[in-house]
Amino acid sequence: MGVGEVSTAPRLFPRGIAGVRAMVDVGVERGVPVPACLDGSGVDENTLADDAAHVRAWQELVVAQNLVRATGDAPGLGLEVGSRIPLRKYSVWGFALLASPTLREAAAVGLRYLELTFTMVGIHLQEDGDEVHLVLDDRFVPQPVRHFFVEREMANIRTILDTILGRPFTPLRLDVRFPRPEEPAAYEAFADAPIAFGAPRNAIVTLAAVLEQSLPQADRHTMQVCERECSLLLARRAHTEFAARVRELLMQWPDGIPDMGVAAAALHVSTRTLHRRLAVEGTSYRRLVDGARHARAVEMLSTLGLGVDQIAVRLGYADAAAFIRAFRRWTGATPGAYRTRVPTRPY
């Protein structure tokens, strides 16, 4: 399989705590208290110190929204966060890249098992003549944190490349979809290369010949052992984290909340199988819907500025009164009181 054929669609899969921890660390340095960073995410402050802890993608999205809002969406914020997630935080996935014989093989392995990383965007590698483009697809990332995550993934990819190459990696250029900021210094200091703002897509661009470079810690046997372990981890996750897949589907669903039959069809299982697999994991579709409504309601109140009637409709409630009762049950406050505590930032 050529690298140009390796593509991973954006999926909101579970991930380690390192991404959240990096955001909180940057937030604290910028004067944002830890509770404010974690507000509404369901992540306990004590969890940050547990290297074995995992979070759901929606939780990481909530922390990112908190950080972006509290810091005024500072240019380069994502670059700062992404540079703080070293390759060792990726465990066996990172070792597989480090032991790959060439950068091309490292790219293929890395993309094949992308669900073992912290990424929030879809990533694929495309060869175009003498150039190769590592494309970051941000279409399914919520608008308020879209360019934050593009920055974060670009900086993290640079950090990973520096490590596996054993030297600083300098691209030909960086393409980003967002417009040139009034203060581009953070980007210029990061890139050491031209930056094309307002580009059609986000991409790290370099010469195709770079893919053939041998890596200094190459060991094909180690790479193969690590790749087998990556495969086992994904298989294990598929069998034990079905509820997480349902939860992320509910968080991403574009129009309201799907009924159980629609959700089952989207997951390519029968309604009966959906019910049975959730029961095995100790939960139910109704419970997951309630949790998704809670998380999406908090997001809509704090980042979209929607009215109570609009949110009630989007979340599938019969009327605003039913939504208000549910919100009070979740948070102990009405939507209006909650919005007063967490001011809405316009985007």
Side-chain angles (χ1 to χ4, degrees):
M1 179 181 289
V3 173
E5 300 173 64
V6 177
S7 179
T8 299
R11 288 182 59 189
L12 296 183
F13 34 79
R15 67 274 320 288
I17 195 69
V20 168
R21 185 187 295 150
M23 288 190 285
V24 171
D25 287 346
V26 169
V28 169
E29 291 177 9
R30 288 174 174 257
V32 185
V34 173
C37 291
L38 299 178
D39 184 53
S41 70
V43 179
D44 185 87
E45 190 169 339
N46 294 326
T47 304
L48 295 174
D50 182 2
D51 287 335
H54 282 75
V55 295
R56 305 301 182 190
W58 71 265
Q59 294 177 296
E60 191 161 336
L61 282 169
V62 169
V63 176
Q65 289 165 345
N66 291 341
L67 178 63
V68 166
R69 183 171 58 250
T71 58
D73 199 7
L77 182 67
L79 300 177
E80 189 175 349
V81 173
S83 64
R84 297 189 182 208
I85 308 176
L87 186 62
R88 67 177 181 273
K89 296 298 182 183
Y90 291 94
S91 187
V92 68
W93 182 89
F95 288 122
L97 269 62
L98 200 61
S100 297
T102 67
L103 192 57
R104 178 181 294 276
E105 290 173 275
V109 171
L111 291 175
R112 190 174 302 127
Y113 299 103
L114 199 65
E115 290 193 29
L116 298 177
T117 74
F118 305 100
T119 187
M120 283 287 185
V121 303
I123 300 177
H124 67 272
L125 201 58
Q126 185 172 50
E127 295 186 60
D128 184 9
D130 293 335
E131 292 183 350
V132 63
H133 300 231
L134 187 63
V135 180
L136 282 65
D137 183 357
D138 64 2
R139 289 174 298 168
F140 295 94
V141 178
Q143 179 64 41
V145 290
R146 187 170 292 166
H147 87 243
F148 167 82
F149 278 115
V150 169
E151 290 178 5
R152 191 187 79 164
E153 314 314 4
M154 281 192 166
N156 193 224
I157 290 167
R158 286 284 300 275
T159 299
I160 290 170
L161 288 170
D162 289 351
T163 302
I164 66 175
L165 287 168
R167 57 176 174 75
F169 168 79
T170 302
L172 286 179
R173 71 176 187 277
L174 298 179
D175 294 342
V176 292
R177 294 205 305 139
F178 49 86
R180 180 184 179 86
E182 293 183 5
E183 300 179 7
Y187 300 98
E188 293 166 353
F190 162 75
D192 295 328
I195 306 175
F197 292 100
R201 60 185 182 178
N202 308 298
I204 298 174
V205 183
T206 192
L207 292 173
V210 170
L211 291 177
E212 311 309 329
Q213 289 187 15
S214 297
L215 300 182
Q217 299 192 52
D219 185 321
R220 185 173 294 279
H221 174 70
T222 299
M223 182 199 74
Q224 291 171 343
V225 170
C226 291
E227 187 172 1
R228 284 198 297 271
E229 184 61 25
C230 287
S231 181
L232 289 172
L233 285 172
L234 285 186
R236 194 176 304 132
R237 179 179 292 175
H239 287 293
T240 61
E241 302 220 4
F242 185 74
R245 291 172 56 196
V246 177
R247 188 180 292 109
E248 305 305 349
L249 175 76
L250 295 174
M251 289 297 296
Q252 287 184 293
W253 199 260
D255 185 21
I257 296 288
D259 64 34
M260 193 172 181
V262 172
L267 293 164
H268 307 292
V269 298
S270 68
T271 302
R272 182 177 180 180
T273 298
L274 175 61
H275 175 78
R276 176 177 55 79
R277 292 187 64 176
L278 291 179
V280 167
E281 295 186 28
T283 189
S284 67
Y285 189 71
R286 182 175 181 178
R287 187 179 302 171
L288 294 179
V289 166
D290 193 58
R293 280 173 163 164
H294 178 188
R296 291 182 66 175
V298 168
E299 177 185 349
M300 291 177 190
L301 281 169
S302 59
T303 64
L304 300 183
L306 297 178
V308 170
D309 289 335
Q310 292 172 296
I311 295 174
V313 169
R314 289 198 181 194
L315 295 181
Y317 285 96
D319 52 39
F323 166 63
I324 292 171
R325 286 194 298 272
F327 196 86
R328 189 191 294 273
R329 172 169 54 82
W330 296 325
T331 66
T334 64
Y338 182 89
R339 201 196 298 269
T340 301
R341 293 205 314 259
V342 186
T344 302
R345 168 173 164 75
Y347 287 95

